[in-house]
């Protein structure tokens, strides 16, 4: 049988060191990968409610690697990923660097992947709360900026295997930031992302946390399922200031404003170039479609999620 274009186009881009990590941590080898992709594509083709979906290896491996090549769990995550995009288009669709508001948020330096990886080879995503203007931009625009950034990173195979490190600078956080999100929105967002986003979250660092934010962070963590909650608590590191952060993150890779070598403005300009190069691919994600009104989805129940059919069953995170 002739191979499909999706199969023919794939060529593994992992470094030798990352291949070793994939084998040890994810049980990945060429045979396992080929068979898993074959099963995954067959499931998508036969799914009664998935009408349009990417089936290229770079996209499907996001889910397979996050779920350590458990095909049923990867299928479940994909169904949820497609579903939240349908249920919450204000958060997960229309991701475009040429949207003036989204570009302004990126230009301000609110959220930026650092140019170099950390000592573990992970991509580092820096967020700076004080660089987001809650009186000029909405929580939905904030969510779309986050979605745009991660969509630009998730097809990278090194990222899929090595995972992500997060650095959250909470200096400049105000009550305006906190009040931009309702409790319902926080609850729904966390329910959406905790088992629907195909990313290996490895470490989370917080610096300069004001007292008003502690309770919000604790509340957000309390909404997660026990397994993910425990994982976050173990991997969440609090630092009083940038100097303490440097004990965990190589200062050289940080923006110059944090003691590094490259100014934040240069990092933003470089990343915006990447976003423009990927603009069409990211916009085409909106072409994917799953019928969320049907009762036939294997992993999506009919429970109400903020007034919309297609809520999620409670599932453990591996």
């Amino acid at each position: 049988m002739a191979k499909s274009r999706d199969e023919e186009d794939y060529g593994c881009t992992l470094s030798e060191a990352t291949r070793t990590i994939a084998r040890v941590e994810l049980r990945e080898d060429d045979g396992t990968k080929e068979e898993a992709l074959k099963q995954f594509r067959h499931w998508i083709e036969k799914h009664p409610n998935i009408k349009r979906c990417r089936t290229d290896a770079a996209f499907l491996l996001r889910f397979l690697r996050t779920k350590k090549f458990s095909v049923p769990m990867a299928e479940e995550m994909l169904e949820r990923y497609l579903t939240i995009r349908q249920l919450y288009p204000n958060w997960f669709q229309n991701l475009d660097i040429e949207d003036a508001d989204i570009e302004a948020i990126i230009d301000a330096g609110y959220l930026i992947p650092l140019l170099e990886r950390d000592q573990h080879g992970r991509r580092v995503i820096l967020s700076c709360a004080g660089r987001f203007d809650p009186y000029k931009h909405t929580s939905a625009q904030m969510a779309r900026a986050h979605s745009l950034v991660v969509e630009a990173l998730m097809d990278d195979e090194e990222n899929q295997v090595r995972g992500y490190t997060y650095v959250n600078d909470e200096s400049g956080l105000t009550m305006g930031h906190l009040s931009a999100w309702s409790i319902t929105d926080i609850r729904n967002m966390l329910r959406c992302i905790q088992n629907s986003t195909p990313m290996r979250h490895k470490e989370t660092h917080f610096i300069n946390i004001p007292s008003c934010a502690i309770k919000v962070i604790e509340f957000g963590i309390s909404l997660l399922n026990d397994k993910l909650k425990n994982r976050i608590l173990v991997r969440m590191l609090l630092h009083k200031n940038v100097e303490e952060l440097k004990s965990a993150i190589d200062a050289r890779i940080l923006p110059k404003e944090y003691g590094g070598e490259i100014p934040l403005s240069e990092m933003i300009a470089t990343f915006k170039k990447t976003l423009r190069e990927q603009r069409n691919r990211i916009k085409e994600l909106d072409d994917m479609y799953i019928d969320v009104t049907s009762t036939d989805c294997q992993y999506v129940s009919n429970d109400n999620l903020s007034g919309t059919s297609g809520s999620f069953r409670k599932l453990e995170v591996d």
Side-chain angles (χ1 to χ4, degrees), residues 185-228:
D185 279 346
I186 293 173
R187 189 185 303 274
N188 287 343
M189 175 59 81
L190 290 172
R191 291 184 69 191
C192 283
I193 66 176
Q194 70 175 332
N195 203 31
S196 306
T197 307
M199 302 173 73
R200 303 190 72 207
H201 310 297
K202 304 300 287 187
E203 284 185 1
T204 300
H205 300 264
F206 286 92
I207 58 173
N208 303 320
I209 303 179
S211 57
C212 65
I214 297 293
K215 293 296 182 183
V216 176
I217 294 172
E218 291 176 348
F219 172 71
I221 293 174
S222 73
L223 297 177
L224 301 174
N225 64 43
D226 289 340
K227 198 162 189 179
L228 188 55

Side-chain angles (χ1 to χ4, degrees), residues 15-31:
S15 65
E16 285 302 318
T18 308
R19 285 175 186 259
T20 299
I21 294 172
R23 183 173 63 254
V24 173
E25 295 186 10
L26 309 181
R27 304 187 292 270
E28 176 178 337
D29 57 44
D30 290 343

Side-chain angles (χ1 to χ4, degrees), residues 79-95 139-148 151 181-194 196-197 285-286 288-293 300-301 303-312:
E79 189 177 281
R80 290 172 179 272
Y81 168 89
L82 295 174
T83 299
I84 64 170
R85 288 180 55 84
Q86 292 295 132
L87 294 180
Y88 294 101
N90 285 345
W91 290 346
F92 301 111
Q93 292 194 29
N94 302 311
L95 312 179
S139 59
Q141 290 166 341
M142 176 192 286
R144 285 210 306 282
H146 278 269
S147 296
L148 174 61
E151 286 291 357
W181 288 85
S182 69
I183 291 178
T184 299
D185 279 346
I186 293 173
R187 189 185 303 274
N188 287 343
M189 175 59 81
L190 290 172
R191 291 184 69 191
C192 283
I193 66 176
Q194 70 175 332
S196 306
T197 307
L285 293 170
D286 291 352
M288 298 190 295
Y289 182 76
I290 185 172
D291 182 1
V292 298
T293 65
V300 180
S301 72
D303 296 333
N304 189 276
L305 179 61
S306 190
T308 308
S309 63
S311 178
F312 307 118

Side-chain angles (χ1 to χ4, degrees), residues 39 41 73 92 114 131 180 183 194 199 214 234 238 259 312:
Q39 292 179 27
R41 290 181 176 125
M73 295 186 76
F92 301 111
L114 304 188
R131 293 178 177 272
I183 291 178
Q194 70 175 332
M199 302 173 73
I214 297 293
V234 168
L238 306 182
F312 307 118

Side-chain angles (χ1 to χ4, degrees), residues 14 45 62-63 67 103 119 184 202 285 297 307 310 316:
L14 295 178
E45 180 184 358
R62 298 178 177 188
F63 303 90
K67 292 303 181 182
E103 184 174 16
Q119 65 269 34
T184 299
K202 304 300 287 187
L285 293 170
C297 289
E316 293 296 324

